[in-house]
Amino acid sequence: MLTDNPDLYRASQRARGADETLVDQLLDADVARRETIAAFETLRSEQNVFSKKVGKAKGEERAALLAEVKDLAAKVKQAQATADAAAAKASALQRSIPNLIVEGIPSGGEDDFTVLKTVGTARDFAAEGFEPLDHLQIAEKLDAIDMERGAKVSGSRFYFLKGIGARLEMAMMNMALDQAVSYGFIPMVTPTLVRPEIMQGTGFDVEHDDEIYRLERDDLYLVGTSEVALAGYHANEIMDLSDGPLRYAGWSSCYRREAGAAGKDTRGIIRVHQFNKLEMFVYTTIEQAEAEHARLLAWEEEMLAKMELPYRVIDTAAGDLGMSAARKFDCEAWVPTQGTFRELTSTSNCTTFQARRLNIRERQVVDGKAGKTRAVATLNGTLATTRWIVAILENHQNPDGTVNVPKALQPYLGGLEVLS
């Protein structure tokens, strides 16, 4: 807890480039919360004693006591309001402090990541004698993506996946689902609208996050990942993890406003407002979280290998982590027309951050007997999403505009070897 290890949280905030003073503000707020609660309980105890005296008193003594009780009741009411305000302030400050980072990850911002490995070799299109097309040019030749009509129907950065484009996404998602099931994941089709307390409990700032779509009339939020619904699935529950991690694979449409996206990212389907995703989500014990994180990364790399894509794995810097992540690995595929690696998938270890906010616990067993409860650890990672189509089309294109289908994906497209 922060109150037990404030220096760790100060260091974490410093590594993130976040406000260290929030830690001290929270410590002060917690002291105020405890003091105001104690003052309220003292006054309430006095009120109970006076109430008993009033019940026994008669005549003038009773009248005098009633006047004191009335005055004391007003003080109790004021003390309760003060205690509630102090608790609300402490809670708000607590919600504003991100998860404690895993020790040893890179400090700094978006560009301060560490490359852990690079796998595969980018194609030399010049040596092959042709200039590669970008994913949208290829998709338009294949009649696979229709951005123009997407904009006509829904606005900019919406699109239709059409024909082989729609089949390609479904094939990729089904291949990912089969892989997930083979590793013990339970398939889930999840809600895409959630309550504010679930969105907030997962680690999203519902009041200030410009990426989130909100339906004000219903006080519901569109999710940007099925992680949100899956994190809320066991809210306020005590779980049994004695048989090992509980793994879910959530299939859903996802929605993001992409308020800050600009430049090349607005072309095609790299950054769009709606997309589909298969998300791995895991509940496990604190002790198993780090090993589970490594497994999630390995399963993501297995998918990238099946897609025959050159990629690299980065250890994301603290300042580029989301609110809930203590550590995050990104898998970035090579995008030939941009001459750089772009994120296709990531996996995050959220330790106990989400579980504490959503009150998800496990019952500890000590010497064969049920003991106290404690928060579980949660992790997430993406196995497939619409953006993968970008890397598949660009890396496997041919001079005539056709696209070779990765061998592992061919059975999911009825044996089709080339998109044309």
Side-chain angles (χ1 to χ4, degrees):
M1 289 180 62
L2 183 147
T3 51
D4 298 326
N5 297 289
D7 287 339
L8 281 178
Y9 279 86
R10 290 189 189 98
S12 179
Q13 288 289 92
R14 191 159 54 248
R16 285 177 176 269
D19 187 357
E20 288 181 59
T21 67
L22 286 176
V23 176
D24 295 302
Q25 290 178 46
L26 178 55
L27 291 172
D28 291 341
D30 188 60
V31 170
R33 179 186 66 83
R34 294 172 187 272
E35 289 176 348
T36 55
I37 288 174
F40 163 67
E41 290 178 344
T42 298
L43 284 170
R44 188 171 60 177
S45 178
E46 289 180 20
Q47 185 184 35
N48 291 336
V49 171
F50 262 82
S51 295
K52 291 178 181 178
K53 286 183 179 179
V54 170
K56 297 177 181 179
K58 295 179 180 179
E60 292 182 2
E61 182 187 6
R62 180 181 175 84
L65 286 173
L66 281 172
E68 288 188 57
V69 166
K70 185 177 180 180
D71 181 58
L72 192 54
K75 290 180 179 177
V76 168
K77 187 176 180 180
Q78 179 59 49
Q80 183 173 19
T82 302
D84 289 346
K89 181 179 179 181
S91 179
L93 281 166
Q94 190 174 37
R95 287 196 303 270
S96 71
I97 296 177
N99 197 2
L100 182 70
I101 64 169
V102 170
E103 188 176 353
I105 72 168
S107 299
E110 184 179 358
D111 298 325
D112 297 311
F113 57 83
T114 299
V115 177
L116 300 179
K117 66 165 79 170
T118 301
V119 179
T121 304
R123 284 173 62 184
D124 185 348
F125 286 96
E128 294 182 35
F130 75 101
E131 184 77 19
L133 302 177
D134 73 22
H135 75 280
L136 187 56
Q137 291 172 310
I138 300 167
E140 287 174 344
K141 284 178 174 289
L142 296 173
D143 199 20
I145 299 175
D146 193 331
M147 301 297 299
E148 184 178 344
R149 289 186 176 90
K152 178 177 70 174
V153 170
S154 302
S156 64
R157 278 188 271 177
F158 286 94
Y159 57 95
F160 284 90
L161 288 182
K162 181 181 177 185
I164 195 60
R167 289 183 63 197
L168 180 58
E169 181 182 77
M170 292 176 191
M172 175 178 59
M173 294 281 283
N174 275 300
M175 186 171 82
L177 183 61
D178 280 353
Q179 177 180 303
V181 169
S182 74
Y183 288 116
F185 284 81
I186 301 168
M188 301 279 276
V189 177
T190 63
T192 55
L193 285 166
V194 299
R195 298 175 184 273
E197 61 267 26
I198 300 300
M199 183 71 86
Q200 193 170 66
T202 310
F204 293 91
D205 185 346
V206 295
E207 294 180 4
H208 305 107
D209 195 330
D210 290 336
E211 296 301 319
I212 302 173
Y213 284 105
R214 181 187 178 193
L215 279 67
E216 293 187 15
R217 181 174 176 179
D218 304 288
D219 197 19
L220 293 171
Y221 294 83
L222 282 166
V223 300
T225 167
S226 63
E227 168 197 347
V228 179
L230 292 172
Y233 188 66
H234 287 291
N236 300 311
E237 294 182 19
I238 297 176
M239 305 183 68
D240 182 2
L241 296 174
S242 57
D243 292 332
L246 182 56
R247 303 180 178 122
Y248 293 112
W251 184 320
S252 74
S253 291
C254 306
Y255 305 86
R256 294 182 186 174
R257 293 184 67 242
E258 294 291 1
K264 288 183 179 180
D265 285 358
T266 62
R267 176 173 168 79
I269 58 169
I270 291 181
R271 288 195 182 274
V272 289
H273 296 310
Q274 178 182 337
F275 53 94
N276 290 316
K277 186 155 67 117
L278 190 78
E279 185 78 358
M280 300 179 288
F281 192 87
V282 179
Y283 294 93
T284 190
T285 63
I286 296 168
E287 292 80 10
Q288 292 179 316
E290 189 173 345
E292 188 69 7
H293 199 197
R295 283 189 282 269
L296 289 172
L297 177 59
W299 291 326
E300 290 180 343
E301 290 192 69
E302 184 177 333
M303 274 293 293
L304 287 162
K306 289 175 181 176
M307 295 298 187
E308 302 169 24
L309 296 172
Y311 68 93
R312 70 180 182 185
V313 178
I314 67 169
D315 196 353
T316 307
D320 198 29
L321 295 175
M323 170 75 77
S324 60
R327 189 178 198 180
K328 180 164 75 83
F329 300 119
D330 284 351
C331 294
E332 302 179 329
W334 179 254
V335 179
T337 60
Q338 293 191 11
T340 190
F341 291 95
R342 298 302 304 267
E343 180 197 337
L344 283 198
T345 177
S346 66
T347 174
S348 297
N349 180 2
C350 298
T351 58
T352 61
F353 183 82
Q354 295 173 331
R356 283 184 279 110
R357 292 159 72 106
L358 292 166
N359 191 30
I360 307 169
R361 295 158 291 154
E362 62 158 337
R363 178 78 63 184
Q364 293 180 275
V365 177
V366 181
D367 297 328
K369 297 180 181 179
K372 295 181 179 180
T373 62
R374 64 170 183 175
V376 302
T378 60
L379 303 96
N380 63 79
T382 304
L383 266 190
T385 187
T386 305
R387 187 188 285 188
W388 285 50
I389 293 173
V390 174
I392 293 168
L393 294 181
E394 291 206 16
N395 282 282
H396 298 309
Q397 64 180 292
N398 298 311
D400 61 358
T402 62
V403 177
N404 296 327
V405 179
K407 191 169 183 178
L409 193 58
Q410 291 173 13
Y412 295 89
L413 285 167
L416 193 62
E417 296 180 2
V418 178
L419 309 181
S420 61

